Amino acid sequence: MYLETHKEVEQKMKKTVKVFSDELKTIRAGRANPALLDKVMVNYYGTATPLKQISNISVPEARQLLISPWDANALPDIEKAIMKSDLGLNPSNDGKTIRLIIPQLTEETRKDMIKVLGKITEGAKVAIRNERRTANDELKKLNKNGDLTDDELSKAEDQTQKLTDNYIIEIEKLAKEKESELLEV
C-alpha cells in the first residue's frame, strides 16, 4: 500500500527536478543557447504561440542565435515578442531572419543572475519538501486507518526522507553547475 505512495512521490519529485532543469536553461549565461527562447511567446495570427513552434533556432556562433521563421510574415511579431521578453536581447532583423547577439555578462548581471538562480533553486527545494509532506500525511492516514503498522510508517517515512534528500542534492548539483557557468568569463 505505501509502496504506491512511495512510487507516486518519487515520480512527482523527478518531475520537479525536470521542471527545475528546464527553467535553468532559460537563464542567460553569456553563451548562445536556443533554450533561452523557450518561454518566448509570439502573437502569431492572434494566438500566443511558442517561438520554437514557428521557426528554426540555430547557433551559428558561440554568442549568436539565428531565428529563421517558416513564415516571413511572422518576423515583426517575433521581433516584438523578443523585445517584450525579459531576456534583455536586441533582435536584428534582415528581412528573412533575426539575429540575436548574446552580450558578454557584466559582473553586475552575473550577480543578478545568481540571485535569480538562488530563488529558483529554493523554489524547487520547497516543492520537493512539499511532496515529502504530502506523502507523509498520506502515510499517516494509512496508519490511522490501520492499513500501516507503526513500524511500517516509520520505515516509509525514512524512505521518503531519503528520497527527499537525494532529490535536493540533485537540485543543488544542477544549481552549482549553472552558477559555475554564470561565473565563467
Side-chain angles (χ1 to χ4, degrees), residues 57-73:
I57 303 168
S58 59
V59 184
E61 295 176 24
R63 294 198 12 228
Q64 185 181 90
L65 289 173
L66 183 66
I67 302 165
S68 307
W70 294 304
D71 176 2
N73 296 329

Side-chain angles (χ1 to χ4, degrees), residues 8-25:
E8 194 177 302
V9 119
E10 187 169 13
Q11 289 301 320
K12 289 180 179 177
M13 287 182 179
K14 277 183 185 174
K15 187 175 180 182
T16 300
V17 171
K18 171 81 171 100
V19 168
F20 174 70
S21 176
D22 290 346
E23 201 165 349
L24 289 183
K25 292 175 187 170

Side-chain angles (χ1 to χ4, degrees), residues 7 25 41 48 53-55 66 81 93 101 129 158 168:
K7 287 179 183 173
K25 292 175 187 170
M41 300 296 280
Q53 287 185 6
I54 61 170
S55 63
L66 183 66
N93 182 346
I101 306 298
R129 291 183 196 118
D158 287 347
I168 287 197

Side-chain angles (χ1 to χ4, degrees), residues 99-166:
R99 290 185 188 280
L100 294 174
I101 306 298
I102 311 296
Q104 193 73 15
L105 294 178
T106 64
E107 193 62 35
E108 187 178 325
T109 308
R110 290 176 200 277
K111 288 177 183 175
D112 289 343
M113 295 291 187
I114 289 173
K115 285 179 189 174
V116 168
L117 173 63
K119 288 178 185 174
I120 293 171
T121 303
E122 193 53 41
K125 288 180 184 179
V126 167
I128 295 286
R129 291 183 196 118
N130 287 341
E131 293 301 334
R132 175 190 61 196
R133 185 185 65 235
T134 302
N136 285 340
D137 290 348
E138 192 65 36
L139 292 169
K140 287 174 185 167
K141 281 182 193 172
L142 290 171
N143 177 259
K144 191 175 180 181
N145 294 341
D147 295 332
L148 214 56
T149 66
D150 289 344
D151 283 349
E152 289 172 329
L153 172 66
S154 178
K155 197 179 290 185
E157 286 178 338
D158 287 347
Q159 284 180 327
T160 304
Q161 185 59 48
K162 285 178 185 168
L163 259 184
T164 303
D165 294 343
N166 289 340

Side-chain angles (χ1 to χ4, degrees), residues 1 23 37 45 62 111 152 170 172 182:
M1 181 74 75
E23 201 165 349
L37 302 172
Y45 292 106
K111 288 177 183 175
E152 289 172 329
E170 192 171 339
E172 288 173 345
L182 286 168

Side-chain angles (χ1 to χ4, degrees), residues 77 120 185:
D77 294 327
I120 293 171
V185 178

